[in-house]
Amino acid sequence: MLRKLTKKFQNLTLATKLTTLLLIIFIGGITLSSIAFANLLNYQAEIAVKSRARFIFQNINAVRQYTNDEVQPVLERRLKGDEFALQTIPSYSARKVFLNLQKQDVSYNNFFYKDAMLNPTNLQDKADNFETTIVQKFQQANNLENTTSGYHWINGVKYYYIASPLAVKDSSCLRCHSSPDVAPKGMIKVYGTEHGFGWKLNEINGAQIVSVPANIILERAKQALLLAIGIITLVFAIAIFVANLWMKRYVIQPIKKVVRVAEAVSTGDFDVEFEKVSKDEIGSLVEAFTRMKLSLLMAIQSFEQQRPKG
């Protein structure tokens, strides 16, 4: 097979050989460039997705920390024994801030934040199957400093998530989550007595999860890839066209002229002249053929002089 292709290639004209070679380089270059750009853009897209998720995650934690350190102590001093204020709960503050962010910027509408709990006080925080699996992994690791991340699908859309374990770290929080008997009546009135109790200190019972849509950024990377491939293809196409044009003008046409003159000389027409148009290899070829013509002419003249007359 290879021999047949080699033989066919050898039988092609010089211009066709050059075009074929350039096309092979073109296809190879496009393929390698596409693979390299695809890997690079996907890598950059993943970094962008992860950076965005971490930014939201860190800001939500900052809100939770602020609520826990500064808002909660002030409000609790003003509350009476059985009174209850949602604003003292860090997860409530974080959720409200996140909802306000979504109202102010619609680009965050497809983002998700949740304190997914196995036994939540507010059933809005009840962990689904995916979230339950994450919480169980945290429980098995039993490390409050642990975090996990990865990709998952929500309603057919690919999301990148970051999650960290949630546990009661302050014994004062057990007043609301140990048993209904000691919980504030205001909280019982809002949430009832069936959920959110039986928690223990430093026991992992939930996970804080932020999910960022990856499809948007990955789609932008795909569009950038198509644009880059289009530009590279155009550059290669122009390069092939210019190379072919240059080859035909400065190589093929001069060689054809030399061939026509050589054929004329071979038939006995010594009035034709080899035209030298450059000082490169084509010019050297013209000089060689010119010397050959002169040598042949001198040989013929010498033979004619020495040939007997009569």
Side-chain angles (χ1 to χ4, degrees), residues 3 84 169 282:
R3 288 182 179 179
F84 172 73
K169 299 180 181 179
I282 302 297

Side-chain angles (χ1 to χ4, degrees), residues 12-293:
L12 297 175
T13 62
L14 186 60
T16 306
K17 288 179 180 178
L18 175 65
T19 302
T20 304
L21 179 61
L22 290 176
L23 284 174
I24 293 172
I25 295 174
F26 171 75
I27 295 172
I30 291 296
T31 302
L32 293 176
S33 299
S34 300
I35 294 172
F37 271 105
N39 291 332
L40 177 61
L41 291 174
N42 283 333
Y43 176 72
Q44 293 295 334
E46 286 195 5
I47 290 178
V49 171
K50 293 176 181 179
S51 297
R52 204 165 187 182
R54 288 194 184 96
F55 176 77
I56 296 174
F57 195 77
Q58 290 169 354
N59 277 272
I60 286 175
N61 279 330
V63 172
R64 291 174 61 93
Q65 192 68 39
Y66 173 77
T67 302
N68 188 68
D69 294 345
E70 300 193 32
V71 176
Q72 190 179 80
V74 173
L75 290 180
E76 286 184 345
R77 285 196 297 267
R78 298 183 180 184
L79 294 174
K80 296 179 180 179
D82 289 328
E83 288 183 333
F84 172 73
L86 286 171
Q87 290 75 13
T88 62
I89 303 175
S91 60
Y92 172 83
S93 299
R95 184 165 56 249
K96 292 294 289 186
V97 169
F98 187 73
L99 290 174
N100 287 333
L101 174 64
Q102 290 180 318
K103 291 178 181 178
Q104 294 174 9
D105 191 342
V106 294
S107 64
Y108 288 97
N109 285 347
N110 292 326
F111 289 53
F112 292 97
Y113 163 69
K114 185 176 179 180
D115 285 345
M117 312 299 296
L118 299 181
N119 180 26
T121 302
N122 185 351
L123 292 181
Q124 184 179 352
D125 297 328
K126 180 68 176 178
D128 59 23
N129 292 335
F130 170 74
E131 294 159 349
T132 299
T133 301
I134 292 178
V135 176
Q136 290 173 346
K137 288 181 179 179
F138 283 142
Q139 289 177 334
Q140 291 173 2
N142 195 27
N143 182 2
L144 293 176
E145 302 301 322
N146 192 20
T147 60
T148 186
S149 61
Y151 290 95
H152 69 123
W153 296 83
I154 301 177
N155 297 326
V157 179
K158 188 177 183 180
Y159 282 80
Y160 176 80
Y161 72 90
I162 295 180
S164 65
L166 287 175
V168 175
K169 299 180 181 179
D170 190 342
S171 58
S172 62
C173 296
L174 292 177
R175 176 172 176 257
C176 297
H177 297 290
S178 58
S179 67
D181 298 336
V182 296
K185 293 182 179 180
M187 191 191 85
I188 297 297
K189 185 177 180 180
V190 175
Y191 295 112
T193 60
E194 296 181 2
H195 307 284
F197 297 102
W199 295 12
K200 297 180 181 179
L201 190 65
N202 293 324
E203 181 181 75
I204 297 173
N205 52 15
Q208 182 186 19
I209 304 174
V210 170
S211 297
V212 175
N215 282 4
I216 297 174
I217 299 178
L218 294 176
E219 185 62 29
R220 289 175 183 171
K222 182 179 178 181
Q223 293 173 356
L225 174 62
L226 293 176
L227 178 61
I229 292 175
I231 293 174
I232 294 172
T233 302
L234 180 62
V235 170
F236 267 98
I238 293 174
I240 289 177
F241 175 77
V242 172
N244 269 292
L245 188 65
W246 180 91
M247 187 73 173
K248 288 179 179 179
R249 182 170 182 179
Y250 295 104
V251 178
I252 305 300
Q253 290 180 1
I255 289 177
K256 285 183 176 180
K257 289 181 180 179
V258 172
V259 171
R260 285 197 296 269
V261 174
E263 287 177 345
V265 171
S266 68
T267 59
D269 184 3
F270 292 99
D271 293 329
V272 294
E273 296 289 342
F274 291 101
E275 181 183 356
K276 183 177 180 180
V277 294
S278 63
K279 294 183 179 180
D280 55 12
E281 287 79 359
I282 302 297
S284 300
L285 179 64
V286 170
E287 289 180 352
F289 270 97
T290 301
R291 289 194 298 269
M292 184 184 69
K293 173 193 169 185

